[in-house]
Amino acid sequence: MKRVCLALALVASGPLTAQDISLVVDEAGSDITDVLEGASLIIAIDPETSPNPQDYVAAARADYRALLTALYSEGYYSGTVAIKVNGREAAGISPLDAPSQINTITIAVDKGPKFAFGQARVSPLPDDTQLPEGFATGEDARSDLIRQATRTGVTAWRAAGHAKADVAEQQIIARHTDQKIDADITLAPGPRLTFGRVTVSGNSAVRPTAITRIAGLPVGAIYSPEEIEKAAGRLRETGAFDSIALREADVIGANDTLPVDIQVVESLPRRFGFGLELSSVEGLKVSTYWMHRNFAGGAERLRVEAEVAGIGGGTGGIDYRIATSLTIPAIYGADTDLTLNAGISREDEPDYLIDKAEIEVVATRKLSDALTASLGLGLLTAREENDFGVREYTLFTLPLTATYDKRDDPTNAQKGYYIDLEATPFVSLDGGTNGGRLYADARYYKTFGEAERFGIAARGQVGSVIGSEISETPADFLFYSGGSGTVRGRGYKTLGVDTVTNGETTTTGGLSFIGAQLEARFGVTDSIGLVGFYDLGHVGETEVPGEVGTWHAGLGVGVRYNTGIGPIRLDVGTPANGDDAFSGVEVYIGIGQAF
């Protein structure tokens, strides 16, 4: 026999007493001791909650069923369970007649022989349905396999459009002399249904027509659980609702249709927030936003934001930006949103000063759960000062983006990958040069070990400006390197391109860029993490990345403190190559991982 003892304390009406709770399993059953311990309600009682004797007696009476269920889950159908409280069988003790003091509780389990499947059948099934591995004649007859096989069959019929599929009959027979279990499950698929009338309930400020348009349930199409999930996801992404549930009607409608009721709880419409980021060189960046999540009654999202950067920094003057955006969901089909953007800004950098105003209309299409693409039309006008002089220009832009996001958490990714592609053709409306800006950003994340304390994060960036010379390209379209977004340990935008004109050297951004960032992340506790990083950047004089230009690198360490809104980040970096290698440090503080 195997004996497992757990020492607990019992607080009763009398004085505190020592108590033994013992789980005794036959020697051959030692392999399921952990399963039985996990299933026992008696063992689960926390003595710190000061349970009374009635609690233990009630748990003991319920443990017969709980432990037998645990035995069935492992394929043992002829086991026996005996539970004695102070030497008396718990089944004969009424919870209202519990002893005033409990000294011992003994749980004795004899698991008996393991049963195998004699017959294992679920029918009928849609074509190509794969039942769980192990649900077959001769395999261990674990009860959870019967449940899994049944759920698999019902789920398969629902996925095929039979929304009301259910179990019609089940025969589960234990043949104790043969130590076999015969499981015969008959399913009732019901008729194949199409989506019927869609109604809305629970709303007050958001129009029901807007809710149904955003949900995008395809009325008249064959029923699909996936479409139900997509509809709920679309509504959730608007941010206008605290909770969303799509309730399928209990009764099939006329002509084999399935009515659906969209039940929502609306969020408070207004929201605001702020952000802070500090760099020892770039200075302090302060940002804030105000948002209305149901601006015109159709779950439209109006956002106004402002940002001031470079406060106390050594990278030029102070930068300003104020912008607004209005997003209209489901403008052309449920998966296409329209966003109107407008903003004014000043960017005061060591190599240039730009005052800019721009407007943009962007259509964003969700092509899958991970893939999103957008197409926009934009107009910007700017006044720019740099070493080439002062110029004013107006550009028509056609921004294109595609984003594939398979990260587990956008603010603190531990697994997965992310790819962002951008192309911005621009046409001068005042006789200047035409061209295009291309940019790609790829990130990869992986953790190791059972505890997943150690992980790596890698990022690669590449960009190019085509069709335009450096002197004729908008300064903020050119590429620089240095700072928290490219190479930590190097000053913000310290790496560019030096051009000699009439004997004078002019520093500008480059026509191409290559960047790489690598982090090793280690979780010391659930809240605190350490990071080591190495960053690399190259700014090119030509539009071909890596062809002609200069490389620089930085390395350092960081600390992360996890919060409900993402990790607070502190990074300390230093130059890692060149004449100034290890000559100083840069400090970065912000919210969220560096990438």
Side-chain angles (χ1 to χ4, degrees):
M1 303 289 285
K2 180 173 181 178
R3 183 180 179 85
V4 180
C5 295
L6 295 90
L8 302 175
L10 173 65
V11 176
S13 56
L16 186 70
T17 60
Q19 178 192 348
D20 278 342
I21 295 179
S22 303
L23 172 63
V24 182
V25 185
D26 61 288
E27 187 62 35
S30 60
D31 60 323
I32 62 167
T33 299
D34 290 343
V35 175
L36 295 171
E37 286 181 2
S40 172
L41 301 176
I42 298 173
I43 294 174
I45 292 177
D46 183 359
E48 298 295 329
T49 63
S50 302
N52 57 46
Q54 287 85 356
D55 294 330
Y56 281 100
V57 171
R61 289 170 61 90
D63 251 2
Y64 290 101
R65 181 182 182 89
L67 295 173
L68 285 174
T69 300
L71 289 173
Y72 295 167
S73 72
E74 297 299 310
Y76 299 98
Y77 293 87
S78 60
T80 60
V81 176
I83 303 173
K84 294 188 177 182
V85 178
N86 287 348
R88 292 177 58 195
E89 193 68 37
I93 303 174
S94 169
L96 298 179
D97 191 29
S100 60
Q101 178 175 307
I102 296 178
N103 297 316
T104 61
I105 298 177
T106 302
I107 306 170
V109 178
D110 182 349
K111 68 181 180 63
K114 179 172 282 193
F115 281 54
F117 282 117
Q119 183 183 60
R121 188 177 73 92
V122 176
S123 66
L125 291 172
D127 293 340
D128 301 323
T129 302
Q130 297 293 322
L131 293 178
E133 185 178 354
F135 185 73
T137 299
E139 299 290 338
D140 292 344
R142 294 187 288 115
S143 61
D144 60 327
L145 279 174
I146 302 174
R147 288 190 293 270
Q148 290 175 26
T150 303
R151 284 196 301 268
T152 297
V154 171
T155 300
W157 278 118
R158 284 176 55 82
H162 299 258
K164 297 304 179 182
D166 206 348
V167 176
E169 184 182 1
Q170 55 182 350
Q171 290 187 340
I172 301 174
I173 300 172
R175 292 187 277 134
H176 288 271
T177 55
D178 300 328
Q179 298 171 11
K180 300 288 185 182
I181 289 289
D182 293 331
D184 188 359
I185 313 298
T186 302
L187 302 181
R192 196 179 195 195
L193 305 181
T194 58
F195 283 111
R197 183 170 57 94
V198 178
T199 56
V200 177
S201 59
N203 62 306
S204 60
V206 184
R207 296 187 304 274
T209 53
I211 292 174
T212 55
R213 187 187 76 244
I214 295 166
L217 278 177
V219 175
I222 298 298
Y223 166 85
S224 167
E226 184 179 353
E227 289 294 340
I228 294 284
E229 293 176 7
K230 284 182 178 180
R234 294 181 188 114
L235 290 167
R236 197 173 296 115
E237 287 173 0
T238 66
F241 308 101
D242 282 340
S243 70
I244 298 147
L246 275 71
R247 183 178 177 276
E248 302 170 11
D250 294 330
V251 179
I252 297 173
N255 301 317
D256 288 340
T257 59
L258 181 67
V260 177
D261 184 44
I262 302 175
Q263 301 173 343
V264 300
V265 176
E266 295 175 352
S267 302
L268 293 174
R270 296 169 183 84
R271 181 179 181 182
F272 73 93
F274 68 92
L276 295 172
E277 188 165 337
L278 178 65
S279 166
S280 57
V281 172
E282 299 166 45
L284 177 67
K285 179 168 72 175
V286 182
S287 60
T288 186
Y289 73 88
W290 174 89
M291 182 167 63
H292 196 299
R293 294 183 280 198
N294 184 33
F295 180 64
E300 302 90 352
R301 187 167 58 252
L302 175 67
R303 180 182 174 107
V304 179
E305 56 188 48
E307 179 182 289
V308 181
I311 302 171
T315 57
I318 296 180
D319 302 332
Y320 306 91
R321 183 177 70 89
I322 183 168
T324 184
S325 65
L326 176 64
T327 299
I328 305 171
I331 194 69
Y332 182 73
D335 292 314
T336 303
D337 298 343
L338 185 70
T339 301
L340 311 174
N341 298 312
I344 57 174
S345 63
R346 161 167 282 206
E347 194 171 354
D348 189 353
E349 303 296 333
D351 297 336
Y352 61 86
L353 170 67
I354 296 180
D355 292 311
K356 181 168 63 175
E358 55 186 327
I359 58 174
E360 190 177 65
V361 180
V362 179
T364 303
R365 178 81 173 179
K366 189 168 185 179
L367 302 174
S368 71
D369 289 341
L371 180 61
T372 303
S374 70
L375 169 64
L377 299 173
L379 185 68
L380 71 85
T381 182
R383 181 182 183 275
E384 178 181 313
E385 297 180 18
N386 57 26
D387 290 342
F388 294 114
V390 179
R391 64 173 179 147
E392 297 181 356
Y393 53 85
T394 300
L395 300 178
F396 172 77
T397 62
L398 187 71
L400 308 162
T401 68
T403 302
Y404 194 75
D405 191 348
K406 294 291 286 184
R407 295 173 294 182
D408 59 341
D409 181 351
T411 62
N412 188 20
Q414 306 294 316
K415 302 175 183 177
Y417 55 94
Y418 169 91
I419 301 172
D420 181 53
L421 305 176
E422 301 176 10
T424 308
F426 56 88
V427 177
S428 174
L429 300 182
D430 48 16
T433 301
N434 305 325
R437 188 181 194 270
L438 308 176
Y439 175 75
D441 182 354
R443 309 173 190 184
Y444 176 76
Y445 309 87
K446 185 174 178 61
T447 55
F448 301 91
E450 284 189 18
E452 297 186 337
R453 291 286 190 184
F454 177 72
I456 59 169
R459 181 187 190 187
Q461 300 164 279
V462 61
S464 175
V465 175
I466 58 176
S468 178
E469 298 297 328
I470 286 180
S471 61
E472 299 172 338
T473 303
D476 56 343
F477 279 28
L478 297 173
F479 297 96
Y480 289 84
S481 186
S484 59
T486 51
V487 178
R488 289 162 288 182
R490 296 287 185 171
Y492 179 62
K493 292 187 175 181
T494 52
L495 181 61
V497 170
D498 292 335
T499 303
V500 178
T501 305
N502 298 326
E504 294 186 5
T505 301
T506 300
T507 301
T508 66
L511 289 174
S512 61
F513 172 71
I514 298 176
Q517 295 175 298
L518 181 65
E519 288 190 350
R521 301 173 177 176
F522 179 74
V524 180
T525 68
D526 290 340
S527 299
I528 299 174
L530 299 178
V531 169
F533 62 84
Y534 183 85
D535 299 344
L536 191 66
H538 177 278
V539 177
E541 300 176 19
T542 68
E543 62 187 39
V544 179
E547 185 178 53
V548 179
T550 305
W551 292 89
H552 69 173
L555 60 81
V557 295
V559 178
R560 305 289 184 265
Y561 181 77
N562 292 324
T563 69
I565 59 175
I568 296 175
R569 178 180 78 252
L570 169 63
D571 286 337
V572 179
T574 186
N577 70 330
D579 296 336
D580 60 347
F582 312 109
S583 60
V585 296
E586 306 279 350
V587 179
Y588 310 90
I589 299 174
I591 297 176
Q593 294 285 2
F595 61 91

